[in-house]
Amino acid sequence: MKYAFRALVVALLGFVLLPAVVACVSAFDTRALIAFPPQGFTWRWFHRALTYEDFQVGFVNSLYVAAIASTLAILVGSAVAYAIDRYDFAAKRVLEAVLLAPLAIPHFTIGLGALIVASQVGAARGWFVVVACHVVLVLPFVLRSLYVSLKNMDPRLESAALSLGAKPGRVLLTVTLPGLAPGLAGGWIFAAILSFNEFTASLFVTVQRTQTLPVAMYNYVREYADPSMAALSALYILLTTVVLTLANRFLGLGRILGTEDVRH
Amino acid sequence: MSGTEDALRLDGVGKQFGTFTALHEAWLRVRPGEFVTLLGPSGCGKTTLLNLIAGFLEADAGEIFIGGKLVTQTPVWERDIGIVFQSYALFPHMDVARNVGYGLRARGVSRAEEAARVAEALAMVRLSSMAGRRPRQLSGGQQQRVALARALVIRPSLLLLDEPFSALDRNLRMEMQFELKEIQQKLGVTTIFVTHDQAEAMSMSDRIAVMSEGRILQLDTPEGVYRRPAHRFVAGFIGDATVLRGRLKGMDGVSAGVEAGGLTFSVPAAPLEGTAPGAEVDVFLRPEHLQPAEGEAGLAGTVVSRAYLGDRAELLVQTEGAGRVMLRVPGLAALERWPAGAPIRMAVGSAEPVAFPAG
Ligand SMILES: Nc1ncnc2c1ncn2[C@@H]1O[C@H](COP(=O)(O)OP(=O)(O)O)[C@@H](O)[C@H]1O
Ligand SMILES: [Mg+2]
């Protein structure tokens, strides 16, 4: 029984990790096409991936979009999560549903919709539509992360601060926000990673000038089949792993995802 | 502010949640330096009343005065109160010293004065060595002492505590009760204490407000609520009472004679005002209201169970035809004479019980 369970875990892990492993291994192949098993060893494809101009531009674009979109999502999300948690108002359920809706709507629908709306107002070729689209896509995750932090915070903390003579603004700055800091940081990092990896919606709303890294990669594979893609994938995995490890080290993922109760 | 002013006065304060009345018009006057406990079962409106005094809830009716000043419309942060909650509510991202100094910083006190007063407050609760710790590094009792220091360091005109010790185990709870009482008396701070634990209320309070279903039923000294309960509910809630059905035999202005289970008790007349002789009454019997009788006299029964408490024991006795009663006897005698199943005869004890019209 115990061994069967272990075997199952190993099989599952293998299944989840297999594509990543295959991609990473192929990245070192000396042949100019993606194939398995690999032959030889070279850093050549990494070099190409890092120096290819579309990738460089796409990488910078992605960084900007991810940073701006997740910051905006945090600002909107914290205000909304706070309102939903602390106040009772008629539109509360509706607001919650609308903000969580992107989870149920396919990304291409959101991208297409955003594109149609943007071209109506003549903004189809700009940054605005890309960022706005990403904000909508990451907002549900940000909301969840903040909502969990708020739920885990004892409302008596704010009551105690008020009773000690602190005005509401001071309480917000000295008690509420510091209490939410892990949730804010965690939400921001998740939003940034999601945005950085987002492809489907971005395909609709980006143009050559505004294309993000995943879109640049897609355009690349349509023309070439060499392992630079595999090299880039390996770099992607490395970057995300580093960010997540740091986030986990300093913030605790269980806490951010709400899988762990922080109240003792 | 003159010294004769009430430290706290509630004039008909009431609170509704939708159509549910959580607090019916409450009237209360608390003298400076007094320790008053709001006592009642869970859900009777104690926290609601405390939150109204603190300003976390807005009263639907009535006026609240703190130190003679009308504060009904005053926001929490201007009410000059200190609060201690059951959940401690210490700020997790600040160390103990910064927690305690929070109210001083909010008041714009200088750093030097903050440091001095925080040190003094921590010494008062015997936690000087913990100043640099985070709250989660402290035990429950220590956390609650920090919360107390934080509430008192601002020298509030009113100290409010909502079931502050309910999360602590029994021994620690008793230790904390003594400590709080000692500090409260030393500082002379007017205190409103909320609990559902009658022993806690009895041991600490100058006066107790017994509450039930959103009403203050009786406001009296611990002895008053224990010996002269003004209401059936109070008689049943304070102490371990068993109810014996009986008949009113007669009364003068002060006391009444009641016959129950073949025994004749003398009880205060006031609760039976307007009851006709011969009418049915309920006698609230506590363990000290009965004593073992020798010979064939008294109420006969059989010991159902025995709680040995060292110097004394409490017996639960099944009487012949009058239900179950509790009886207090010397510990040694209980061991020798009254194991479970032993027959026993009981007579009227030295203390006087109370009786109410049968309900
Ligand atoms: N915000 C609220 N909304 C609706 N009902 C409430 C609210 N707060 C308290 N109540 C109700 O009021 C009653 C008294 O509550 P509370 O004052 O907390 O009781 P206690 O502290 O004595 O246990 C309870 O029945 C409770 O359910
Ligand atoms: Mg309560």
Side-chain angles (χ1 to χ4, degrees), chain B residues 247-252 255-259 264-267 272 281:
Chain B
R247 270 179 205 291
L248 179 62
K249 286 170 68 177
M251 62 173 143
D252 56 35
S255 57
V258 165
E259 190 269 306
T264 302
F265 296 94
S266 165
V267 299
L272 294 170
V281 295

Side-chain angles (χ1 to χ4, degrees), chain B residues 20-33:
Chain B
F20 173 74
T21 306
L23 188 71
H24 297 270
E25 284 193 9
W27 300 79
L28 183 69
R29 299 179 71 161
V30 178
R31 294 183 284 270

Side-chain angles (χ1 to χ4, degrees), chain A residues 52-63:
Chain A
Y52 187 68
E53 201 197 338
D54 269 15
F55 289 168
Q56 290 178 335
V57 172
F59 178 73
V60 174
N61 286 352
S62 276
L63 279 187

Side-chain angles (χ1 to χ4, degrees), chain A residues 156, chain B residues 42-43 45-48 86 162-163 194:
Chain A
R156 295 289 191 192
Chain B
S42 175
K46 307 180 295 291
T47 297
T48 301
Q86 182 181 338
D162 193 350
E163 313 231 5
V194 163

